């Protein structure tokens, strides 16, 4: 699965793959594989990306076109 939205979110903020890789604590090569769909994104990284971009995991995964994140559940 190709994750064009990850690339779009990153480029909209004028960031490089190495910048996001640093946020996740991984190499730029691994992050590049995520964007191109050559490697599965671990849930922990998907959640970190959603938090970083202030969007939902469903938006990143292409399950919705609504980029606004879901409201936080109390106690989280």
């Amino acid at each position: 699965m190709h994750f064009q939205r990850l690339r779009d979110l990153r480029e909209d903020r004028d960031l490089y793959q190495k910048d996001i890789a640093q946020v996740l604590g991984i190499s730029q090569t691994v992050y590049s594989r995520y964007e191109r769909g050559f490697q599965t994104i671990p849930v922990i990284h998907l959640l970190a990306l959603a938090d970083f971009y202030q969007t939902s995991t469903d938006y990143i995964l292409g399950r919705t076109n609504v980029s606004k994140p879901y409201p936080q559940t109390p106690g989280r």
Side-chain angles (χ1 to χ4, degrees):
M1 172 181 269
H2 179 76
F3 292 102
Q4 181 64 40
R5 287 203 171 146
L6 278 181
R7 182 177 179 173
D8 293 343
L9 287 164
R10 177 178 56 77
E11 290 179 345
D12 287 349
R13 288 158 180 79
D14 296 322
L15 297 170
Y16 297 99
Q17 287 183 344
K18 66 178 181 165
D19 300 323
I20 304 305
Q22 187 174 21
V23 168
L24 298 175
I26 58 175
S27 71
Q28 179 272 327
T29 302
V30 171
Y31 180 76
S32 174
R33 290 179 189 152
Y34 291 171
E35 276 192 9
R36 294 180 297 143
F38 294 152
Q39 188 167 336
T40 303
I41 302 174
V43 172
I44 194 160
H45 289 168
L46 181 61
L47 293 171
L49 289 165
D51 288 345
F52 180 80
Y53 290 123
Q54 297 180 336
T55 191
S56 69
T57 56
D58 281 348
Y59 181 75
I60 291 172
L61 296 172
R63 296 175 50 101
T64 183
N65 290 326
V66 179
S67 64
K68 184 178 177 184
Y70 303 117
Q72 286 284 344
T73 305
R76 292 186 92 192

